[in-house]
Amino acid sequence: RDKNHPSVVMWSVANEPDSESPAASAYFKHVVSHARALDPSRPISFATFKSPEKDLAAQYVDVIMVNRYFAWYTNTGQIDIIGPSLERDVLAWRRAFRKLVMISEYGADTIAGIHSDPSIAFTEEFQCEYLAQYFPVFDKLRAARFFIGEHVWNFADFMTAQGVTRVYGNKKGIFTRQRHPKMSAYTIRTRYQALGNASLRYPDRMSLLARVAPLPLSQSAEEAPEAAAQQQARLQVLGSQEMP
């Protein structure tokens, strides 16, 4: 009954801002503080495309959302780099800020009806293969309990200004502008169905999930058994706090 009534789970205050600018720190500190005052019940975030080493705004949000297009705008077509690049990047954000992380954009432009074997950029086959390269890393990071989401870009194609990176608009949609599915729509459907069938029941409040700190990203052999025992204890506490 609620399929057409999505819930607001958190507020995003910006999309791909210049968060490396010297003025970004003071600006986003004020914006995030104001948003939190308006609604203290929901987490605050924004979508960044900068690096964790230089981003000056991520320190103020509750959840770090990252837009990444490995093997598209650079190294186009080299989808074998997606897995290691993605894992390295997400772990860097986690190490830098110790916050929950999600990928808020990933995708590749595709012209409906264009096919190739072997696949090349802009074909429907390539889009499917491209998206699928992200899934194993998402699963691996999700198991570490700090990676909390994946959002493909985009639902449907849309018109943009002219440019050499645009073929009659933005074609990253898994549907056309007329809402006809591309091959990738079925790839994403299969992915989301698998997630729905395999997902554990999470706490009714994100604050509970945030308390479940994952194992340290680097630790000595002597520290590992103790850390594992602490993690198991946290998970047991979390399980007792889930909704019946």
Side-chain angles (χ1 to χ4, degrees):
R1 66 179 173 84
D2 295 327
K3 67 181 180 69
N4 293 321
H5 301 278
S7 298
V8 176
V9 296
M10 61 183 170
W11 298 112
S12 176
V13 297
N15 179 60
E16 298 187 348
D18 185 10
S19 50
E20 293 181 358
S21 166
S25 179
Y27 174 81
F28 278 97
K29 181 178 181 180
H30 173 76
V31 170
V32 171
S33 177
H34 181 65
R36 187 169 285 118
L38 293 174
D39 183 1
S41 70
R42 291 179 175 86
I44 307 297
S45 184
F46 76 94
T48 181
F49 69 132
K50 301 297 186 179
S51 70
E53 296 80 15
K54 297 181 179 180
D55 195 295
L56 300 177
Q59 60 185 307
Y60 301 115
V61 300
D62 303 302
V63 177
I64 294 176
M65 300 197 303
V66 186
N67 297 347
R68 286 293 184 259
Y69 294 94
F70 298 112
W72 184 248
Y73 292 112
T74 59
N75 301 305
T76 306
Q78 300 178 33
I79 62 174
D80 56 307
I81 73 168
I82 292 175
S85 299
L86 174 64
E87 181 174 349
R88 183 167 56 250
D89 183 60
V90 172
L91 290 177
W93 283 101
R94 173 63 178 177
R95 290 190 185 101
F97 297 100
R98 309 303 296 183
K99 296 176 184 286
L100 301 174
V101 183
M102 68 173 286
I103 294 296
S104 41
E105 287 186 21
Y106 69 105
D109 287 81
T110 301
I111 303 173
I114 302 298
H115 301 277
S116 176
D117 185 15
S119 66
I120 60 175
F122 292 101
T123 65
E124 293 199 45
E125 288 80 6
F126 178 84
Q127 188 181 34
C128 293
E129 295 174 12
Y130 179 96
L131 297 176
Q133 289 293 316
Y134 283 77
F135 300 159
V137 182
F138 288 160
D139 292 337
K140 181 178 181 180
L141 296 171
R142 189 159 49 92
R145 305 290 288 184
F146 72 87
F147 184 79
I148 61 166
E150 57 192 75
H151 190 282
V152 65
W153 184 260
N154 181 30
F155 164 67
D157 296 343
F158 59 95
M159 184 51 68
T160 66
Q162 296 183 72
V164 295
T165 62
R166 302 292 183 227
V167 183
Y168 199 64
N170 191 308
K171 292 293 192 293
K172 291 187 182 68
I174 60 174
F175 289 84
T176 67
R177 292 184 71 190
Q178 293 73 34
R179 303 311 191 250
H180 296 156
K182 301 177 188 178
M183 288 174 58
S184 58
Y186 300 97
T187 298
I188 292 296
R189 181 175 69 173
T190 299
R191 169 67 177 171
Y192 287 175
Q193 286 177 336
L195 286 174
N197 292 334
S199 294
L200 298 174
R201 291 193 307 169
Y202 281 105
D204 57 338
R205 296 201 311 275
M206 183 174 278
S207 60
L208 295 181
L209 178 60
R211 283 190 230 149
V212 186
L215 293 173
L217 298 177
S218 62
Q219 57 188 340
S220 66
E222 293 77 12
E223 295 172 330
E226 180 180 355
Q230 293 174 350
Q231 173 74 346
Q232 185 60 35
R234 293 189 186 100
L235 293 176
Q236 291 175 350
V237 170
L238 176 65
S240 68
Q241 292 175 321
E242 289 187 4
M243 296 178 64

